[in-house]
Amino acid sequence: MPKQIAVSGIQASGNIHIGNYIGAIKQFIELQEKYKLYAFIADLHAITVPQDPQKLREQTISVAALFLACGLDPEKTTLFIQSHIPAHVELGWILNTLTPIGELERMAQFKEKSDKQGVLAGLLNYPTLMAADILLYKPDAVPVGEDQTQHVELARTLARKFNTRFGETFKEPKALIQKEGARIMGLDDPTKKMSKSASSANNYISMLDSAEEIRRKVKIAVTDSGSEIKYDPQNKPGISNLLVLMSQMSDTPVKTLEEKYANKSYGEFKTEAGKLLAEKLTPIQKRYNELIKNPKEILEIMERGSKDAEKIASQTLKDVKQKIGLI
Ligand code: ATP
Ligand code: MG
């Protein structure tokens, strides 16, 4: 039986943070053993908010290097840069013509980001491009963090709509969301998710933050009233978030951590948490620092991936164009 297919991307919108790692990349690493995985760097999504061109180039290479440093293996997984495959934009446009504006306007992420940036058409249309990113590869699964559930749902709706109107073409993939760690919260505001594009760097632990920086950020992370180290996301969102981070990065159940820190103060717990997170990121950072010395090699790996992805993407697009009557 052919392998099942999975597709997912990470935006080149800033430094990858530990939420991206736990919610998405950790799943990629596991999935690449069983699935045919396509993992891409979403540079076209990144520009839905203003980006400095030089920074965007650096961030794109940096995300690619982190993919490799975290354990994505180009022998198993097809790694590529979104903008290298024009079929994404072409199918994105076609899917726009099937998408009511109202559906895009009610997307939670659009509402959040448009508040901050003013309403750009690209930001509104982001989910149709994302639907194209997914549907081109006819995947069975889309491994993402919880914040992307709504967007994957739109991709499924569009697949159904297209198939009904033009004949069986797309597969309806399911979103793969971790039971725990699918929504890591911001350190400076544990009621909102951790985000690359957060206005303060104290919001996130970047995968590339120094050990000292990580310890500092955890130390000043917003915590809750009371003094008990207990998982209770409703009443103790700050402490619960730190417990989840520690649990996910050390493969230790939250329960075990609660017991371990039962008699400790917030201060002691945060010191331990900062130490552990810094320790766990060190080996990834070491690999990253080696890889990033050679950006040309990283780009070559991405280009090899593009060739592989392009074959399927262009085939799907050709079929779509024919079905809708483009000649
Ligand atoms: P931006 O703020 O620019 O949107 P982001 O931090 O949301 O950046 P994305 O590149 O949009 O990161 O998302 C990449 C993947 O990481 C997606 O699968 C997304 O669901 C997941 N993800 C993003 N933030 C979190 C988080 N806080 N916790 C768990 N998963 C997350
Ligand atoms: Mg995002």
Side-chain angles (χ1 to χ4, degrees):
M1 216 173 87
K3 274 187 173 174
Q4 294 208 61
I5 297 173
V7 182
S8 197
I10 306 271
Q11 293 193 65
S13 49
N15 282 332
I16 290 193
H17 55 70
I18 203 162
N20 301 133
Y21 178 70
I22 293 170
I25 298 177
K26 255 178 89 184
Q27 295 205 74
F28 300 175
I29 310 297
E30 282 162 27
L31 287 173
Q32 73 177 344
E33 304 302 330
K34 278 193 273 161
Y35 283 69
K36 169 71 197 151
L37 174 67
Y38 294 87
F40 63 93
I41 298 136
D43 50 353
L44 293 169
H45 284 294
I47 57 170
T48 54
V49 300
Q51 299 288 343
D52 171 77
Q54 183 52 28
K55 272 215 180 113
L56 180 61
R57 274 187 283 271
E58 286 165 13
Q59 282 159 197
T60 303
I61 299 287
S62 170
V63 175
L66 268 170
F67 270 180
L68 299 168
C70 289
L72 280 173
D73 177 355
E75 299 297 322
K76 294 179 185 154
T77 294
T78 300
L79 300 168
F80 65 96
I81 296 169
Q82 183 189 26
S83 66
H84 289 186
I85 303 189
H88 286 237
V89 177
E90 285 192 70
L91 181 60
W93 174 257
I94 292 167
L95 294 178
N96 266 328
T97 67
L98 297 175
T99 310
I101 291 180
E103 292 216 14
L104 298 174
E105 281 170 341
R106 71 181 174 81
M107 292 290 177
Q109 200 160 101
F110 171 70
K111 285 189 204 152
E112 276 164 29
K113 289 193 180 173
S114 56
D115 273 356
K116 274 190 263 172
Q117 313 281 350
V119 185
L120 297 172
L123 191 62
L124 180 69
N125 292 328
Y126 169 123
T128 50
L129 179 58
M130 177 164 155
D133 298 334
I134 295 169
L135 297 179
L136 277 175
Y137 301 94
K138 304 188 179 172
D140 302 278
V142 184
V144 283
E146 194 204 81
D147 63 297
Q148 292 296 334
T149 316
Q150 230 186 350
H151 294 164
V152 178
E153 201 44 55
L154 177 74
R156 290 167 58 86
T157 306
L158 287 170
R160 243 184 345 260
K161 208 175 207 179
F162 190 99
N163 291 348
T164 306
R165 191 153 153 206
F166 301 107
E168 201 58 29
T169 308
F170 295 120
K171 209 164 191 170
E172 267 183 65
K174 60 173 187 292
L176 284 188
I177 295 167
Q178 309 255 64
K179 281 198 194 75
E180 278 172 32
R183 190 177 185 84
I184 299 295
M185 308 311 273
L187 296 181
D188 60 347
D189 179 359
T191 64
K192 297 210 179 81
K193 88 166 188 76
M194 187 177 279
S195 268
K196 273 191 236 110
S197 52
S199 51
S200 161
N202 290 335
N203 169 270
Y204 51 77
I205 293 174
S206 157
M207 295 298 285
L208 301 176
D209 278 345
S210 68
E212 191 190 345
E213 190 66 358
I214 295 171
R215 289 195 298 265
R216 186 190 66 81
K217 285 183 181 180
V218 173
K219 205 169 204 168
I220 60 165
V222 169
T223 38
D224 322 292
S225 55
S227 60
E228 213 184 344
I229 314 288
K230 195 171 137 231
Y231 181 74
D232 177 359
Q234 282 293 323
N235 301 307
K236 287 179 164 275
I239 288 295
S240 302
N241 193 38
L242 291 178
L243 279 168
V244 171
L245 278 171
M246 282 179 96
S247 161
Q248 287 293 314
M249 294 306 287
S250 61
D251 291 318
T252 311
V254 167
K255 266 253 148 311
T256 310
L257 293 171
E258 281 178 338
E259 284 159 17
K260 183 171 173 192
Y261 293 106
N263 297 315
K264 294 271 183 351
S265 68
Y266 277 1
E268 287 168 305
F269 170 66
K270 283 165 113 181
T271 304
E272 295 274 312
K275 212 169 101 192
L276 179 122
L277 298 180
E279 229 171 69
K280 293 291 174 184
L281 291 187
T282 305
I284 296 176
Q285 294 180 348
K286 276 205 179 121
R287 287 195 290 275
Y288 174 89
N289 290 332
E290 278 306 307
L291 288 158
I292 204 70
K293 286 183 193 154
N294 210 336
K296 225 175 120 211
E297 210 167 282
I298 295 172
L299 264 180
E300 274 165 21
I301 293 173
M302 297 301 126
E303 271 154 25
R304 276 206 298 282
S306 291
K307 288 205 181 87
D308 188 24
E310 169 87 44
K311 282 184 214 142
I312 304 205
S314 59
Q315 222 174 9
T316 307
L317 183 67
K318 193 170 158 205
D319 181 32
V320 165
K321 284 179 168 176
Q322 199 223 333
K323 284 194 168 124
I324 66 173
L326 303 181
I327 54 172

